[in-house]
Amino acid sequence: MNVGFFIDKSQTVQSILGLLLESINRGHNCTVFSTCSSECLNSDLHDSIDVSRVDWRNYGDRNKVKREVIANADLYHALVGINLFNVIWRDIYETQNLPTNVYSVEYCWNEIYNHQDNYTGSTTLFSNSEWSKNTIEELTGYSSVKFLGSPWFELIKRFKIENRSKDKFITFMAPHNSFVGNYPGFLNKTYLFLEGLREYCDKSGFNLVLKTRQKYNHVLSNVIRFDQIISDSNALDHLCAYSNSECVINFSSSAINELSFLEIPSMCVFPDLHSNLHKSRDNLFRAMGKINQKYYSGDIFDGNHCQKIESSDFVDYETFRLSVEKNIEKLDSLISSQNRDWKKFQEDYFPGNHVGAASRIIDLIEKECFSSK
């Protein structure tokens, strides 16, 4: 069977990688259309991933990817992509006369964030959990969502480290530009917290790692000393950094998906600020409300798997300065907790059977493709 995968930048590779590897193992001919090269899988931080049998095509931008996918569609039994509701891929997902079967896999929470009311396409979307399937259906009314387990979560589990290195790490994820743009003084308070975090790491013997992204225009490393910096230029290095961390500190990041299956505790900074972003964009604000209700409020902050820094601490600079020590104590308590049940946590927040997910999805694609020929 000939299978074409279409994605964009390097951080989207992990969303299709499990299905790609399963297809290779079955002897299928695979092509990847993307805006990154296969070199994004090369790293000293993890075992090599052999994609030498894949025809990996790197184009300059997503429009070129789209045009090449459409132009070559008749060469493939199936096309598998990401970001079903993103307008950039509309000509693939909503075109009824493509001469092949088209599928999409849920990428992080993009299908929730980018949902469209009364979506009229017919592409099968494979969701990452029973919860996200139900949420996407509720937001869109779309009925072609299937849950067969998440090949993404299945892949992430491969990076879980049973015995972490003797060197101890805390990873700090850079905040999204939207926080900086919407909350005056946000960076000054972030620097203040980082100063306390740097001091805590030095006293405790932890290395402090910065996870940043190329599109973020604030450079935290110019202000605070980090022992290591991980970017998104490599597809999987961030999973290695997370899996070797005692804790990952983030600003309501979708990394909670990855951390839950790497079994790494997380501290969320100012979740209430995140919930109040994008109020003027009705669909996005409604979607964010669903995600914040599930993952950034209530019982998930149990002090064992997850903890938070209250947004009420954001009142003014002096109040926040005085609260830094208290928040560092919260972090220390989270790291030292021995009361964790990751299996139950995964079942509660990412429900469904994810073992064998890639195999089940490829089984279905094979069945549908061969029955339609």
Side-chain angles (χ1 to χ4, degrees), residues 6 62-71 73 79 83-100 102 116 119 123:
F6 57 97
R62 290 184 298 177
N63 281 307
K64 290 183 180 178
V65 171
K66 177 179 66 176
R67 288 195 295 269
E68 289 299 314
V69 169
I70 293 172
L79 293 170
N83 290 343
L84 175 64
F85 302 122
N86 193 311
V87 295
I88 191 70
W89 307 119
R90 178 175 293 167
D91 292 341
I92 297 175
Y93 289 132
E94 297 183 41
T95 299
Q96 303 300 316
N97 60 353
L98 279 184
T100 188
V102 183
Q116 297 179 23
Y119 183 70
T123 297

Side-chain angles (χ1 to χ4, degrees), residues 255-310:
I256 186 69
N257 292 270
E258 298 160 318
L259 299 173
S260 299
F261 289 92
L262 294 171
E263 301 185 5
I264 301 298
S266 62
M267 173 173 259
C268 181
V269 183
F270 305 145
D272 287 352
L273 295 186
H274 181 260
S275 69
N276 286 313
L277 291 172
H278 307 301
K279 283 187 173 181
S280 62
R281 299 171 62 184
D282 290 345
N283 271 20
L284 178 56
F285 186 68
R286 186 158 57 108
M288 290 178 68
K290 296 287 186 182
I291 290 169
N292 278 289
Q293 182 180 20
K294 179 72 175 178
Y295 295 106
Y296 296 114
S297 64
D299 292 342
I300 195 169
F301 296 121
D302 59 7
N304 300 306
H305 306 85
C306 299
Q307 185 55 280
K308 65 178 176 178
I309 295 178
E310 298 282 357

Side-chain angles (χ1 to χ4, degrees), residues 322-340:
L322 294 172
S323 71
V324 167
E325 184 175 348
K326 178 187 70 175
N327 289 323
I328 294 298
E329 289 174 357
K330 281 187 179 182
L331 173 64
D332 186 65
S333 177
L334 175 66
I335 290 172
S336 60
S337 173
Q338 300 297 312
N339 187 24
R340 298 191 186 109

Side-chain angles (χ1 to χ4, degrees), residues 169-205:
F169 298 85
I170 290 177
T171 297
F172 182 88
M173 299 183 65
H176 195 279
N177 287 334
S178 57
F179 285 99
V180 181
N182 282 275
Y183 298 107
F186 177 88
L187 278 181
N188 287 335
K189 296 180 178 66
T190 300
Y191 297 151
L192 195 61
F193 174 73
L194 277 170
E195 288 172 0
L197 180 61
R198 177 74 263 180
E199 182 179 354
Y200 169 74
C201 288
D202 290 340
K203 288 180 178 179
S204 304

Side-chain angles (χ1 to χ4, degrees), residues 205-269:
F206 293 150
N207 292 284
L208 183 56
V209 179
L210 174 64
K211 165 61 174 66
T212 188
R213 293 181 66 175
Q214 293 175 351
K215 67 180 183 181
Y216 293 172
N217 54 27
H218 43 275
V219 186
L220 298 178
S221 57
N222 288 349
V223 181
I224 302 295
R225 175 174 59 86
F226 291 92
D227 300 293
Q228 187 178 356
I229 298 176
I230 300 290
S231 75
D232 55 5
S233 59
N234 182 281
L236 303 171
D237 276 1
H238 69 291
L239 293 179
C240 300
Y242 298 165
S243 64
N244 211 28
S245 297
E246 301 300 312
C247 180
V248 174
I249 301 170
N250 66 88
F251 293 79
S252 300
S253 168
S254 61
I256 186 69
N257 292 270
E258 298 160 318
L259 299 173
S260 299
F261 289 92
L262 294 171
E263 301 185 5
I264 301 298
S266 62
M267 173 173 259
C268 181
V269 183

